[in-house]
Amino acid sequence: MKKIFVTILAVAALASCSSPYYPEYRPIVSLGAETSNLVVENTEDICRLAIISNVEYNATIISGSEWLSFADTEGTVRIGSGNEAVEFKHLANLNEKRVARLVLSADTRRDTIKIKQKGRTEDFIEIHNNDKELFSMENGTRMPIGWEGGEVSFRLRTSCMDHQLSAWSADETIVNGFKFENGLCTFFVSANDELQPRIVLFQISYIDGWGDKRVLELSIRQAYNEDLAEEE
């Protein structure tokens, strides 16, 4: 009777090891790269990315394959294993900077790496030299506006196209209606019915080829109606 009882316990123990309460041991998957943002020059060349892994993994170029490719294999997918330095070929870039995306995946791990290529010129957004006198530098970059308000315009120097520009106003009841055409920024300022000057911040911005936001911060300083103040 005692022997039968021991046998039953042994069977129960084996069954418990394969139950969902006692899963089999699985090593922790390690997968990553030395950087999540690799920057390369705008010339044609080969770049390297160090990958750290303890398992077999897939490296997939999900965007930018028209200018970025693996140096040792065709196609947009490469199978790798262990720690290694993966080489990529990139074409010359004669336009604005751009970005390709690489996904590393293994088991439940998934990491996205950005490979950013510089452009032929640097990105910039600033006030055009001929219009810089419109902005007073005494208390920051502020454009003086009469109390009556109305349509206002000034010129920009920027490396992007008009349709890429957008505007934000801290108070759209005062500064609004932004338009961009051939580098000319036009907007509307409402009349100032207050008994004191007012300052309103606004921004001109665009998203560059790397997905970063480039911002030019400006503001107006609007006068008040002195005649109205005297009446008060």
Side-chain angles (χ1 to χ4, degrees):
M1 196 66 179
K2 185 176 180 180
K3 292 182 179 179
I4 295 174
F5 179 68
V6 171
T7 304
I8 292 173
L9 285 179
V11 172
L14 289 173
S16 67
C17 290
S18 60
S19 73
Y21 300 103
Y22 297 92
E24 295 181 4
Y25 170 75
R26 300 180 67 184
I28 297 175
V29 174
S30 175
L31 178 64
E34 61 179 336
T35 179
S36 59
N37 291 279
L38 179 63
V39 179
V40 301
E41 298 297 325
N42 70 319
T43 54
E44 183 176 353
D45 204 349
I46 291 178
C47 63
R48 295 170 180 82
L49 177 67
I51 295 177
I52 302 170
S53 177
N54 62 353
V55 294
E56 185 176 277
Y57 65 89
N58 285 346
T60 307
I61 301 173
I62 61 171
S63 66
S65 58
E66 67 275 8
W67 62 270
L68 183 78
S69 61
F70 295 108
D72 61 353
T73 186
E74 298 292 332
T76 57
V77 180
R78 178 186 183 277
I79 299 174
S81 179
N83 300 339
E84 59 179 337
V86 177
E87 293 189 337
F88 300 86
K89 296 184 293 185
H90 54 83
L91 301 178
N93 184 12
L94 302 180
N95 299 302
E96 297 177 358
K97 58 188 183 183
R98 56 192 178 184
V99 61
R101 288 173 174 80
L102 173 76
V103 169
L104 305 177
S105 58
D107 197 21
T108 58
R109 288 295 305 271
R110 179 182 172 92
D111 290 318
T112 301
I113 313 298
K114 292 181 180 179
I115 300 178
K116 300 176 176 180
Q117 187 176 33
K118 297 179 181 179
R120 183 175 57 180
T121 59
E122 291 293 325
D123 289 288
F124 63 92
I125 180 169
E126 60 187 18
I127 306 166
H128 195 279
N129 287 338
N130 294 339
D131 282 1
K132 282 186 177 180
E133 63 270 17
L134 296 175
F135 291 85
S136 169
M137 301 303 294
E138 296 177 3
N139 299 306
T141 308
R142 294 173 180 166
M143 174 183 279
I145 304 292
W147 72 267
E148 305 94 335
E151 192 173 80
V152 182
S153 63
F154 67 96
R155 291 200 169 275
L156 289 167
R157 287 189 66 252
T158 178
S159 57
C160 71
M161 306 295 289
D162 290 331
H163 70 272
Q164 296 175 280
L165 294 169
S166 61
W168 170 85
S169 170
D171 190 335
E172 293 187 350
T173 64
I174 301 174
V175 178
N176 54 66
F178 286 89
K179 295 182 294 184
F180 302 98
E181 186 175 2
N182 298 324
L184 184 69
C185 173
T186 304
F187 58 98
F188 181 82
V189 180
S190 63
N192 184 6
D193 297 326
E194 300 175 10
L195 301 181
Q196 60 183 359
R198 59 187 181 185
I199 295 171
V200 180
L201 172 72
F202 65 96
Q203 296 178 348
I204 310 298
S205 65
Y206 68 95
I207 305 300
D208 66 19
W210 290 356
D212 298 325
K213 190 174 183 178
R214 313 281 295 194
V215 179
L216 175 64
E217 289 194 348
L218 303 167
S219 61
I220 65 162
R221 185 184 188 281
Q222 188 175 23
Y224 68 103
N225 189 342
E226 295 183 8
D227 294 337
L228 183 62
E230 289 177 2
E231 294 176 7
E232 292 290 329

